[in-house]
Amino acid sequence: MIHVRQLTKSYPDLQRGKFVALDNVSFDAMPGQIYGLLGPNGAGKTTALRILSTVLQPTSGMATINGFDIVQHAERVRRQIGFVSNNTAIYDRMTGWELIEYFGRLHELDEDILNSRMEAIFDRFHMNNIRDLLGSKMSTGMKQKVSIARALIHDPPVLIFDEATLGLDLIVSREVIKTIEILREQGKCIIYSSHIMTEVQRMCDRVAILVGGRLVAEGTFDELSDRYDESDFEELFYQLLLKHEKQDELQIHSA
């Protein structure tokens, strides 16, 4: 479903000559799978997600989503994905219903199909109480529900969640997680990025850990636990970060 090969993104830097945000990253995420993309701030996660969603173009390497190349078929790729972040970006002067309807029309959905999907989504996510509520009057949790509905309205096979539960209260956060698990059961391919290790360990089927733009570990939790002899995933993650940060420091001092 998602195939990434040697994906690289670099930028010119006046001091260092070149800054590499993503360095030869490769991985595969399959249908019916939640694939965790993890790393500290500045590790390259957001760069990778922006490239996959066609907001950025890679410097080199390639990726396909549902068979479509992210550079050569960018418009087709955008129809294959739904993107949810912690930045809800809801229009203040549109109601919940109007906003979802607007995005459905952007995806050129037939009127009958659009209305049917909207009714189903508003029922499934218990959103009828915000159907006629303006974005400016919504709580953060309400806005995030609308963001998820907006990402799902065209029924994409691939969903990308970038820190989607950040700043949400416990109830709304659990509703978001439950929604993602239902989407996996429906056969969706899901990329999930989060700093909350308990969420990651509960939900993800496989994970990739990025440090300094490089993929330093990839696999299931059992595979990583055996490989690094550490059963506590948060401790495993922490030790990997320390190890590669020390390696980077040694390289800088020896250069």
Side-chain angles (χ1 to χ4, degrees):
M1 185 68 74
I2 299 177
H3 303 291
V4 177
R5 293 293 178 271
Q6 297 182 313
L7 206 60
T8 299
K9 181 65 177 179
S10 61
Y11 300 92
D13 187 288
L14 293 177
Q15 293 182 334
R16 292 173 287 183
K18 182 172 68 172
F19 170 68
V20 181
L22 208 61
D23 189 2
N24 286 295
V25 170
S26 300
F27 64 85
D28 297 299
M30 308 307 291
Q33 185 180 73
I34 301 177
Y35 193 94
L37 195 60
L38 313 179
N41 292 334
K45 304 185 304 298
T46 298
T47 298
L49 297 179
R50 286 178 176 173
I51 290 174
L52 291 177
S53 57
T54 75
V55 174
L56 293 176
Q57 287 200 358
T59 304
S60 62
M62 59 83 65
T64 61
I65 292 182
N66 205 21
F68 299 105
D69 185 276
I70 58 170
V71 175
Q72 297 177 12
H73 307 111
E75 185 175 345
R76 298 292 296 273
V77 168
R78 286 191 285 272
R79 294 185 181 276
Q80 307 300 310
I81 62 174
F83 195 104
V84 181
S85 73
N86 64 298
N87 181 7
T88 55
I90 299 300
Y91 298 119
D92 286 347
R93 297 185 180 182
M94 296 179 77
T95 66
W97 185 268
E98 289 171 339
L99 193 138
I100 306 306
E101 183 179 42
Y102 173 69
F103 276 85
R105 288 179 175 173
L106 285 179
H107 285 288
E108 300 178 345
L109 295 179
D110 177 82
E111 196 73 21
D112 290 339
I113 292 175
L114 174 58
N115 286 330
S116 176
R117 285 188 186 170
M118 288 176 65
E119 292 287 0
I121 285 173
F122 272 73
D123 285 342
R124 186 196 312 166
F125 300 135
H126 308 290
M127 292 172 55
N128 285 308
N129 62 323
I130 60 173
R131 188 174 180 132
D132 300 315
L133 191 66
L134 290 173
S136 60
K137 305 292 185 181
M138 293 180 189
S139 67
T140 301
M142 292 174 179
K143 290 180 179 179
Q144 192 65 316
K145 281 187 175 183
V146 173
S147 292
I148 293 172
R150 175 176 61 189
L152 295 177
I153 190 61
H154 57 299
D155 194 27
V158 174
L159 279 305
I160 297 173
F161 289 84
D162 185 14
E163 300 288 352
T165 62
L166 186 66
L168 299 181
D169 63 40
L170 178 63
I171 293 174
V172 177
S173 177
R174 288 197 174 186
E175 286 183 2
V176 171
I177 290 171
K178 184 177 179 180
T179 297
I180 294 171
E181 291 173 336
I182 291 171
L183 292 169
R184 170 174 55 191
E185 292 171 4
Q186 294 174 350
K188 306 291 187 184
C189 176
I190 298 163
I191 298 287
Y192 190 78
S193 177
S194 175
H195 284 98
I196 305 173
M197 293 297 105
T198 52
E199 283 184 4
V200 171
Q201 191 161 9
R202 169 185 167 178
M203 298 169 59
C204 295
D205 302 293
R206 297 184 71 84
V207 295
I209 299 175
L210 296 176
V211 180
R214 300 187 303 276
L215 196 155
V216 299
E218 196 273 349
T220 67
F221 294 113
D222 288 342
E223 289 170 349
L224 293 174
S225 178
D226 290 343
R227 191 180 308 159
Y228 296 101
D229 194 25
E230 176 57 67
S231 59
D232 184 288
F233 182 67
E234 186 168 325
E235 182 63 23
L236 187 155
F237 180 73
Y238 176 68
Q239 293 299 331
L240 273 174
L241 299 190
L242 284 184
K243 173 184 175 182
H244 288 278
E245 284 177 359
K246 288 179 181 178
Q247 288 178 351
D248 289 343
E249 288 177 4
L250 288 172
Q251 289 177 354
I252 290 171
H253 291 312
S254 63

